[in-house]
Coordinates of all heavy atoms in Angstrom, one line a residue:
N8 N 89.0 126.5 70.8 CA 89.8 127.7 70.4 C 91.2 127.3 69.9 O 91.9 128.1 69.4 CB 89.8 128.8 71.4 CG 90.4 128.3 72.7 OD1 91.1 127.3 72.8 ND2 90.2 129.1 73.8
G9 N 91.6 126.1 70.2 CA 92.9 125.6 69.7 C 94.1 126.0 70.4 O 95.2 125.8 70.0
T10 N 93.9 126.6 71.6 CA 95.1 127.0 72.4 C 95.0 126.3 73.8 O 94.0 125.8 74.2 CB 95.1 128.6 72.7 OG1 93.9 128.9 73.5 CG2 95.1 129.3 71.4
G11 N 96.1 126.3 74.4 CA 96.2 125.7 75.8 C 97.4 124.8 76.0 O 98.2 124.7 75.1
I12 N 97.4 124.2 77.1 CA 98.6 123.4 77.5 C 98.0 122.0 77.8 O 97.1 121.9 78.6 CB 99.3 124.0 78.7 CG1 99.8 125.3 78.4 CG2 100.4 123.0 79.2 CD1 100.4 126.0 79.7
V13 N 98.6 121.0 77.2 CA 98.2 119.6 77.4 C 99.5 118.9 78.0 O 100.5 118.9 77.4 CB 97.8 118.9 76.2 CG1 97.5 117.4 76.5 CG2 96.5 119.6 75.6
V14 N 99.4 118.4 79.2 CA 100.5 117.7 79.8 C 99.9 116.3 80.2 O 98.9 116.2 80.8 CB 101.0 118.4 81.1 CG1 102.0 117.5 81.8 CG2 101.6 119.7 80.7
D15 N 100.7 115.3 79.9 CA 100.4 113.9 80.3 C 101.7 113.2 80.5 O 102.4 112.8 79.6 CB 99.5 113.2 79.3 CG 98.9 111.9 79.9 OD1 99.0 111.7 81.1 OD2 98.3 111.2 79.1
A16 N 102.2 113.1 81.8 CA 103.5 112.7 82.1 C 103.5 111.5 83.1 O 102.7 111.5 84.0 CB 104.4 113.8 82.6
L17 N 104.4 110.6 82.9 CA 104.6 109.5 83.9 C 106.1 109.5 84.3 O 107.0 109.5 83.5 CB 104.3 108.2 83.2 CG 104.7 106.9 84.0 CD1 103.8 106.9 85.3 CD2 104.4 105.7 83.2
I18 N 106.3 109.6 85.6 CA 107.7 109.6 86.2 C 107.7 108.3 87.0 O 106.8 108.1 87.9 CB 108.0 110.8 87.0 CG1 107.9 112.1 86.2 CG2 109.4 110.6 87.7 CD1 107.9 113.3 87.0
E19 N 108.6 107.3 86.7 CA 108.6 106.0 87.2 C 109.9 105.5 87.7 O 110.6 104.8 87.0 CB 108.0 105.0 86.2 CG 107.8 103.6 86.8 CD 107.2 102.7 85.7 OE1 107.8 102.5 84.7 OE2 106.1 102.2 86.0
P20 N 110.4 106.0 88.9 CA 111.6 105.5 89.4 C 111.4 104.0 89.9 O 110.3 103.7 90.4 CB 111.9 106.4 90.6 CG 110.7 107.1 91.0 CD 109.8 107.1 89.7
A21 N 112.4 103.2 89.7 CA 112.2 101.7 90.0 C 113.4 101.3 91.0 O 114.5 101.9 90.9 CB 112.3 100.9 88.8
L22 N 113.1 100.3 91.8 CA 114.0 99.8 92.7 C 114.0 98.2 92.6 O 112.9 97.6 92.9 CB 113.7 100.2 94.2 CG 114.6 99.5 95.3 CD1 116.0 99.9 95.1 CD2 114.0 99.9 96.6
L23 N 115.1 97.6 92.2 CA 115.2 96.2 92.2 C 115.5 95.7 93.6 O 116.6 95.9 94.1 CB 116.2 95.7 91.2 CG 116.4 94.2 91.0 CD1 115.2 93.6 90.4 CD2 117.6 93.9 90.1
I24 N 114.5 95.0 94.2 CA 114.7 94.6 95.6 C 115.5 93.3 95.6 O 116.4 93.1 96.4 CB 113.3 94.4 96.3 CG1 112.6 95.7 96.4 CG2 113.5 93.7 97.6 CD1 111.2 95.7 96.8
N25 N 115.1 92.3 94.7 CA 115.8 91.1 94.5 C 115.4 90.6 93.1 O 114.6 91.3 92.4 CB 115.6 90.0 95.6 CG 114.2 89.6 95.7 OD1 113.5 89.3 94.7 ND2 113.6 89.4 96.9
P26 N 116.0 89.5 92.6 CA 115.7 89.1 91.2 C 114.2 88.8 91.0 O 113.7 88.8 89.8 CB 116.5 87.8 91.0 CG 117.6 88.0 91.9 CD 117.1 88.7 93.1
R27 N 113.4 88.7 92.0 CA 112.0 88.4 91.8 C 111.0 89.5 92.2 O 109.8 89.4 91.9 CB 111.6 87.1 92.7 CG 112.3 85.9 92.2 CD 111.9 84.7 92.9 NE 110.5 84.4 92.5 CZ 110.1 83.2 92.4 NH1 110.9 82.1 92.5 NH2 108.9 83.0 92.0
L28 N 111.6 90.6 92.8 CA 110.7 91.7 93.3 C 111.3 93.0 92.8 O 112.5 93.3 93.0 CB 110.6 91.8 94.8 CG 109.8 90.7 95.5 CD1 109.9 90.9 97.0 CD2 108.3 90.8 95.1
T29 N 110.4 93.8 92.2 CA 110.8 95.1 91.7 C 109.7 96.1 92.2 O 108.5 95.8 92.0 CB 110.9 95.2 90.2 OG1 111.8 94.3 89.7 CG2 111.3 96.6 89.8
A30 N 110.1 97.2 92.8 CA 109.2 98.2 93.3 C 109.2 99.5 92.4 O 110.3 99.8 92.0 CB 109.5 98.6 94.7
Y31 N 108.1 100.1 92.2 CA 108.0 101.3 91.4 C 107.2 102.3 92.2 O 106.3 102.0 92.9 CB 107.2 101.0 90.1 CG 107.8 99.9 89.2 CD1 107.3 98.6 89.4 CD2 108.7 100.2 88.3 CE1 107.8 97.6 88.6 CE2 109.2 99.2 87.5 CZ 108.8 97.9 87.6 OH 109.3 96.9 86.9
L32 N 107.6 103.6 92.0 CA 106.9 104.7 92.6 C 106.5 105.6 91.4 O 107.2 106.6 91.1 CB 107.8 105.4 93.6 CG 107.1 106.5 94.5 CD1 105.9 105.8 95.3 CD2 108.1 107.1 95.4
D33 N 105.3 105.4 90.9 CA 104.8 106.1 89.7 C 104.2 107.4 90.1 O 103.4 107.5 91.1 CB 103.8 105.3 88.9 CG 104.3 104.1 88.3 OD1 105.5 103.8 88.4 OD2 103.5 103.3 87.7
F34 N 104.6 108.5 89.5 CA 103.9 109.8 89.6 C 103.2 110.1 88.2 O 103.9 110.1 87.2 CB 104.9 110.9 89.9 CG 105.4 110.9 91.3 CD1 106.6 110.2 91.5 CD2 104.8 111.5 92.3 CE1 107.2 110.2 92.8 CE2 105.3 111.4 93.6 CZ 106.5 110.8 93.9
K35 N 101.9 110.3 88.2 CA 101.2 110.6 87.0 C 100.7 112.0 87.1 O 100.0 112.4 88.1 CB 100.0 109.7 86.8 CG 100.5 108.2 86.6 CD 99.3 107.3 86.3 CE 99.8 105.9 86.1 NZ 98.7 105.0 85.7
I36 N 101.1 112.8 86.1 CA 100.8 114.3 86.1 C 100.0 114.5 84.8 O 100.5 114.2 83.7 CB 102.0 115.1 86.1 CG1 102.8 114.8 87.4 CG2 101.7 116.6 86.1 CD1 104.2 115.3 87.4
A37 N 98.8 115.2 84.9 CA 98.0 115.4 83.7 C 97.3 116.8 83.9 O 96.9 117.2 85.0 CB 97.0 114.3 83.6
S38 N 97.2 117.5 82.8 CA 96.5 118.8 82.7 C 96.1 119.0 81.3 O 96.7 118.6 80.3 CB 97.4 119.9 83.1 OG 96.7 121.1 83.0
N39 N 94.9 119.6 81.1 CA 94.4 119.9 79.7 C 93.6 121.3 79.9 O 92.4 121.3 80.1 CB 93.5 118.8 79.2 CG 93.1 119.1 77.8 OD1 93.5 120.1 77.2 ND2 92.2 118.2 77.3
T40 N 94.4 122.4 79.8 CA 93.8 123.7 80.0 C 94.6 124.8 79.4 O 95.7 124.6 79.0 CB 93.6 123.8 81.5 OG1 92.9 125.1 81.8 CG2 94.9 123.8 82.3
D41 N 94.0 126.0 79.5 CA 94.8 127.2 79.0 C 95.9 127.6 80.0 O 96.8 128.2 79.7 CB 93.9 128.4 78.8 CG 93.0 128.2 77.6 OD1 93.4 127.4 76.7 OD2 91.9 128.8 77.5
D42 N 95.7 127.2 81.3 CA 96.6 127.5 82.4 C 97.0 126.2 83.0 O 96.2 125.5 83.5 CB 96.0 128.5 83.4 CG 96.9 128.9 84.5 OD1 98.1 128.6 84.4 OD2 96.4 129.5 85.4
L43 N 98.3 125.9 83.1 CA 98.8 124.6 83.6 C 98.4 124.4 85.0 O 98.2 123.3 85.4 CB 100.3 124.6 83.5 CG 101.0 123.3 83.9 CD1 100.5 122.2 83.0 CD2 102.5 123.4 83.8
G44 N 98.1 125.5 85.8 CA 97.7 125.3 87.2 C 96.3 124.9 87.4 O 95.9 124.5 88.5
D45 N 95.4 125.1 86.4 CA 94.0 124.8 86.5 C 93.8 123.3 86.1 O 94.4 122.8 85.1 CB 93.2 125.7 85.6 CG 93.1 127.1 86.1 OD1 93.4 127.3 87.3 OD2 92.9 128.0 85.3
F46 N 92.9 122.6 86.8 CA 92.5 121.3 86.4 C 93.7 120.3 86.3 O 93.7 119.5 85.4 CB 91.7 121.3 85.1 CG 90.5 122.1 85.2 CD1 90.4 123.3 84.5 CD2 89.4 121.7 86.1 CE1 89.2 124.1 84.6 CE2 88.3 122.5 86.2 CZ 88.2 123.7 85.5
I47 N 94.7 120.5 87.1 CA 95.8 119.6 87.1 C 95.6 118.4 88.0 O 94.9 118.5 89.0 CB 97.1 120.3 87.5 CG1 98.4 119.5 87.1 CG2 97.2 120.7 89.0 CD1 99.7 120.3 87.1
A48 N 96.2 117.3 87.7 CA 96.1 116.1 88.5 C 97.5 115.5 88.8 O 98.2 115.4 87.8 CB 95.2 115.0 87.8
V49 N 97.8 115.3 90.0 CA 99.0 114.6 90.4 C 98.6 113.4 91.2 O 98.1 113.6 92.3 CB 100.0 115.6 91.2 CG1 101.3 114.8 91.5 CG2 100.3 116.8 90.4
D50 N 98.9 112.3 90.7 CA 98.5 111.0 91.4 C 99.8 110.2 91.6 O 100.7 110.2 90.9 CB 97.6 110.2 90.5 CG 96.2 110.9 90.3 OD1 95.8 111.6 91.2 OD2 95.6 110.6 89.3
L51 N 99.8 109.5 92.7 CA 100.9 108.6 93.1 C 100.4 107.2 93.0 O 99.3 106.8 93.5 CB 101.3 108.9 94.6 CG 102.4 108.0 95.2 CD1 103.7 108.3 94.5 CD2 102.5 108.3 96.7
V52 N 101.2 106.3 92.3 CA 100.8 104.9 92.1 C 102.0 104.0 92.5 O 102.7 103.6 91.6 CB 100.3 104.6 90.7 CG1 99.8 103.2 90.6 CG2 99.3 105.6 90.3
P53 N 102.2 103.7 93.8 CA 103.2 102.8 94.1 C 102.8 101.4 93.8 O 101.6 101.0 93.9 CB 103.4 102.9 95.7 CG 102.1 103.5 96.1 CD 101.5 104.2 95.0
N54 N 103.7 100.6 93.2 CA 103.4 99.2 92.9 C 104.6 98.3 93.0 O 105.8 98.8 92.9 CB 102.7 99.1 91.5 CG 103.5 99.7 90.4 OD1 104.3 99.0 89.8 ND2 103.2 100.9 90.1
I55 N 104.4 97.0 93.0 CA 105.4 96.0 93.1 C 105.1 94.9 92.1 O 104.0 94.4 92.0 CB 105.5 95.4 94.6 CG1 105.9 96.4 95.6 CG2 106.4 94.2 94.6 CD1 105.9 95.9 97.0
D56 N 106.1 94.5 91.4 CA 106.1 93.3 90.5 C 106.7 92.1 91.2 O 107.9 92.3 91.6 CB 106.8 93.6 89.2 CG 106.0 94.5 88.2 OD1 104.8 94.8 88.5 OD2 106.6 94.9 87.2
W57 N 106.0 91.0 91.2 CA 106.6 89.8 91.8 C 106.6 88.8 90.6 O 105.6 88.4 90.1 CB 105.7 89.3 92.9 CG 106.1 87.9 93.4 CD1 107.3 87.4 93.6 CD2 105.1 86.9 93.8 NE1 107.2 86.1 94.1 CE2 105.9 85.8 94.2 CE3 103.8 86.8 93.9 CZ2 105.4 84.6 94.7 CZ3 103.2 85.6 94.3 CH2 104.0 84.6 94.7
I58 N 107.9 88.4 90.3 CA 108.1 87.5 89.2 C 107.9 86.1 89.8 O 108.6 85.6 90.6 CB 109.5 87.6 88.6 CG1 109.8 89.0 88.2 CG2 109.7 86.6 87.4 CD1 108.9 89.6 87.2
M59 N 106.8 85.4 89.3 CA 106.5 84.0 89.8 C 107.2 82.9 89.1 O 107.6 81.9 89.7 CB 105.0 83.8 89.8 CG 104.2 84.8 90.6 SD 102.5 84.5 90.6 CE 102.1 84.5 88.9
S60 N 107.4 83.1 87.8 CA 108.1 82.1 87.0 C 108.4 82.7 85.6 O 108.0 83.9 85.4 CB 107.2 80.8 86.8 OG 106.0 81.2 86.0
D61 N 109.0 82.0 84.7 CA 109.4 82.6 83.4 C 108.1 83.0 82.7 O 107.2 82.2 82.4 CB 110.1 81.5 82.6 CG 111.5 81.3 83.0 OD1 112.0 82.2 83.8 OD2 112.1 80.3 82.6
G62 N 108.0 84.3 82.4 CA 106.9 84.9 81.7 C 105.7 85.2 82.5 O 104.7 85.7 82.0
N63 N 105.7 85.0 83.8 CA 104.5 85.3 84.7 C 104.9 86.2 85.8 O 105.9 85.9 86.5 CB 103.9 84.0 85.3 CG 103.3 83.1 84.2 OD1 102.5 83.6 83.4 ND2 103.7 81.9 84.2
A64 N 104.1 87.2 86.1 CA 104.4 88.1 87.2 C 103.0 88.6 87.7 O 102.0 88.7 87.0 CB 105.2 89.3 86.7
L65 N 103.0 88.9 89.0 CA 101.9 89.6 89.6 C 102.3 91.0 89.9 O 103.4 91.3 90.4 CB 101.5 88.9 90.9 CG 100.5 87.7 90.8 CD1 100.3 87.1 92.2 CD2 99.2 88.0 90.1
N66 N 101.4 92.0 89.6 CA 101.6 93.4 89.9 C 100.6 93.8 91.0 O 99.4 93.6 90.8 CB 101.5 94.2 88.7 CG 101.6 95.7 89.0 OD1 100.6 96.3 89.3 ND2 102.8 96.2 89.0
F67 N 101.0 94.3 92.1 CA 100.2 94.9 93.2 C 100.4 96.4 93.2 O 101.5 96.9 93.2 CB 100.6 94.3 94.5 CG 100.6 92.8 94.6 CD1 101.7 92.0 94.3 CD2 99.4 92.1 95.0 CE1 101.7 90.7 94.4 CE2 99.4 90.7 95.0 CZ 100.5 90.0 94.7
S68 N 99.3 97.1 93.1 CA 99.4 98.6 93.1 C 98.3 99.3 93.9 O 97.2 98.8 94.0 CB 99.4 99.1 91.6 OG 98.1 98.9 91.0
L69 N 98.7 100.5 94.4 CA 97.7 101.4 95.0 C 97.7 102.6 94.2 O 98.7 103.0 93.5 CB 98.2 101.8 96.4 CG 98.1 100.7 97.5 CD1 98.8 101.2 98.8 CD2 96.7 100.3 97.8
K70 N 96.5 103.3 94.2 CA 96.4 104.5 93.4 C 95.8 105.6 94.3 O 94.8 105.5 94.9 CB 95.4 104.3 92.2 CG 96.0 103.2 91.3 CD 95.0 102.9 90.2 CE 95.6 101.8 89.3 NZ 94.7 101.5 88.2
L71 N 96.6 106.7 94.5 CA 96.3 107.8 95.4 C 96.4 109.1 94.7 O 97.3 109.4 94.0 CB 97.3 107.8 96.6 CG 97.6 106.4 97.3 CD1 98.9 106.5 98.0 CD2 96.5 106.1 98.2
G72 N 95.4 110.0 95.0 CA 95.4 111.3 94.5 C 96.3 112.2 95.4 O 96.0 112.3 96.7
L73 N 97.2 112.9 94.9 CA 98.1 113.8 95.7 C 97.7 115.2 95.7 O 97.6 115.9 96.7 CB 99.6 113.7 95.2 CG 100.4 112.4 95.6 CD1 101.8 112.6 95.1 CD2 100.3 112.1 97.0
A74 N 97.6 115.8 94.5 CA 97.3 117.3 94.4 C 96.6 117.6 93.2 O 96.5 116.9 92.2 CB 98.7 118.0 94.4
G75 N 95.9 118.8 93.2 CA 95.3 119.3 92.0 C 93.8 119.1 92.0 O 93.2 118.3 92.7
D76 N 93.1 120.0 91.2 CA 91.7 119.9 91.1 C 91.2 118.6 90.5 O 90.0 118.2 90.8 CB 91.2 121.1 90.2 CG 91.5 122.4 90.8 OD1 91.6 122.5 92.1 OD2 91.6 123.4 90.1
R77 N 91.9 118.0 89.6 CA 91.5 116.8 88.9 C 92.2 115.5 89.5 O 92.2 114.5 88.8 CB 91.8 116.9 87.4 CG 91.2 118.1 86.8 CD 89.7 118.1 86.7 NE 89.3 117.0 85.8 CZ 88.2 116.4 85.7 NH1 87.2 116.8 86.5 NH2 87.9 115.4 84.9
K78 N 92.7 115.6 90.7 CA 93.4 114.4 91.3 C 92.4 113.3 91.5 O 91.2 113.5 91.6 CB 94.1 114.8 92.6 CG 93.2 115.0 93.7 CD 93.9 115.4 95.0 CE 92.9 115.6 96.1 NZ 93.6 115.9 97.3
R79 N 92.9 112.1 91.6 CA 92.1 110.9 92.0 C 91.4 111.2 93.3 O 92.0 111.5 94.3 CB 92.9 109.7 92.0 CG 92.2 108.4 92.5 CD 93.2 107.3 92.5 NE 93.4 106.8 91.2 CZ 92.6 106.0 90.5 NH1 91.5 105.6 91.1 NH2 92.9 105.6 89.3
Q80 N 90.0 111.0 93.3 CA 89.3 111.3 94.5 C 89.2 110.1 95.5 O 88.9 110.2 96.7 CB 87.9 111.8 94.1 CG 87.9 113.1 93.4 CD 88.5 114.2 94.2 OE1 88.2 114.4 95.3 NE2 89.3 115.0 93.5
E81 N 89.3 108.9 94.9 CA 89.2 107.7 95.7 C 90.5 106.9 95.6 O 91.2 106.9 94.6 CB 88.1 106.8 95.2 CG 86.7 107.5 95.4 CD 85.6 106.6 94.8 OE1 85.9 105.5 94.3 OE2 84.5 107.1 94.9
T82 N 90.9 106.2 96.7 CA 92.0 105.3 96.7 C 91.7 104.0 96.0 O 90.6 103.5 96.3 CB 92.5 105.1 98.2 OG1 92.8 106.3 98.8 CG2 93.7 104.1 98.2
G83 N 92.5 103.6 95.2 CA 92.3 102.3 94.4 C 93.4 101.3 94.7 O 94.5 101.6 95.1
M84 N 93.0 100.0 94.5 CA 94.0 99.0 94.6 C 93.8 98.0 93.5 O 92.6 97.7 93.1 CB 93.8 98.2 96.0 CG 94.8 97.1 96.2 SD 94.7 96.3 97.8 CE 93.4 95.2 97.5
A85 N 94.9 97.5 92.9 CA 94.7 96.6 91.8 C 95.8 95.4 91.9 O 96.9 95.7 92.4 CB 95.0 97.3 90.5
I86 N 95.4 94.3 91.5 CA 96.2 93.1 91.4 C 96.1 92.6 89.9 O 95.0 92.3 89.5 CB 95.9 92.0 92.4 CG1 96.0 92.5 93.8 CG2 96.8 90.8 92.2 CD1 95.4 91.6 94.9
T87 N 97.2 92.6 89.2 CA 97.2 92.2 87.8 C 98.2 91.1 87.5 O 99.3 91.1 88.0 CB 97.6 93.5 87.0 OG1 96.8 94.6 87.4 CG2 97.5 93.2 85.5
L88 N 97.7 90.1 86.8 CA 98.6 89.0 86.3 C 99.2 89.5 85.0 O 98.4 89.8 84.0 CB 97.8 87.7 86.1 CG 98.6 86.6 85.5 CD1 99.7 86.2 86.4 CD2 97.6 85.4 85.3
L89 N 100.5 89.5 84.9 CA 101.2 89.8 83.7 C 101.8 88.5 83.1 O 102.4 87.8 83.8 CB 102.3 90.8 84.0 CG 101.9 92.1 84.7 CD1 103.1 92.9 85.2 CD2 101.0 93.0 83.8
R90 N 101.5 88.3 81.8 CA 102.0 87.1 81.2 C 102.7 87.4 79.9 O 102.1 88.1 79.1 CB 100.9 86.1 81.0 CG 101.3 84.8 80.5 CD 100.2 83.8 80.5 NE 100.6 82.6 79.7 CZ 100.8 81.5 80.3 NH1 100.6 81.3 81.6 NH2 101.2 80.5 79.6
N91 N 103.9 86.9 79.7 CA 104.6 87.1 78.5 C 104.3 85.8 77.6 O 104.7 84.7 77.9 CB 106.1 87.2 78.7 CG 106.9 87.5 77.5 OD1 106.3 87.8 76.4 ND2 108.2 87.5 77.6
M92 N 103.6 86.1 76.5 CA 103.2 84.9 75.6 C 104.1 84.9 74.4 O 104.5 85.8 73.8 CB 101.8 85.0 75.3 CG 100.9 85.0 76.5 SD 99.2 85.1 76.2 CE 98.8 83.4 75.7

């Protein structure tokens, strides 16, 4: 029908712990409906970047569903190698 509200937002406050460690507290908010309160998802994704050397970092993250009908149902964990080439 071409009407409705689409929201896809990322709020990412960061904390520099030391030159090699940075912590993030990501809030992901998403909705795709005629009413913003229906089918909304609010997920929390805390993560830490550990800088190992020039151009290499490891990211450790958890994924948790906080609120809403479409929130993440299972807790997830990820470890990602980030490389600047």
Side-chain angles (χ1 to χ4, degrees):
N8 63 13
T10 64
I12 298 171
V13 176
V14 173
D15 196 5
L17 171 65
I18 301 168
E19 185 179 58
L22 172 65
L23 181 63
I24 298 169
N25 65 41
R27 297 183 70 139
L28 287 174
T29 304
Y31 304 91
L32 188 59
D33 297 356
F34 289 93
K35 295 184 178 183
I36 303 166
S38 179
N39 185 4
T40 183
D41 288 337
D42 181 10
L43 186 61
D45 291 338
F46 302 110
I47 195 166
V49 180
D50 294 332
L51 176 68
V52 186
N54 58 84
I55 294 177
D56 284 349
W57 172 39
I58 308 300
M59 299 184 305
S60 63
D61 287 342
N63 293 308
L65 277 178
N66 176 271
F67 302 92
S68 66
L69 289 175
K70 299 175 182 181
L71 310 162
L73 284 186
D76 297 335
R77 304 290 294 161
K78 71 179 181 181
R79 175 180 283 279
Q80 297 299 314
E81 297 177 359
T82 300
M84 183 176 81
I86 301 172
T87 307
L88 174 63
L89 307 169
R90 184 174 171 111
N91 186 8
M92 299 180 79

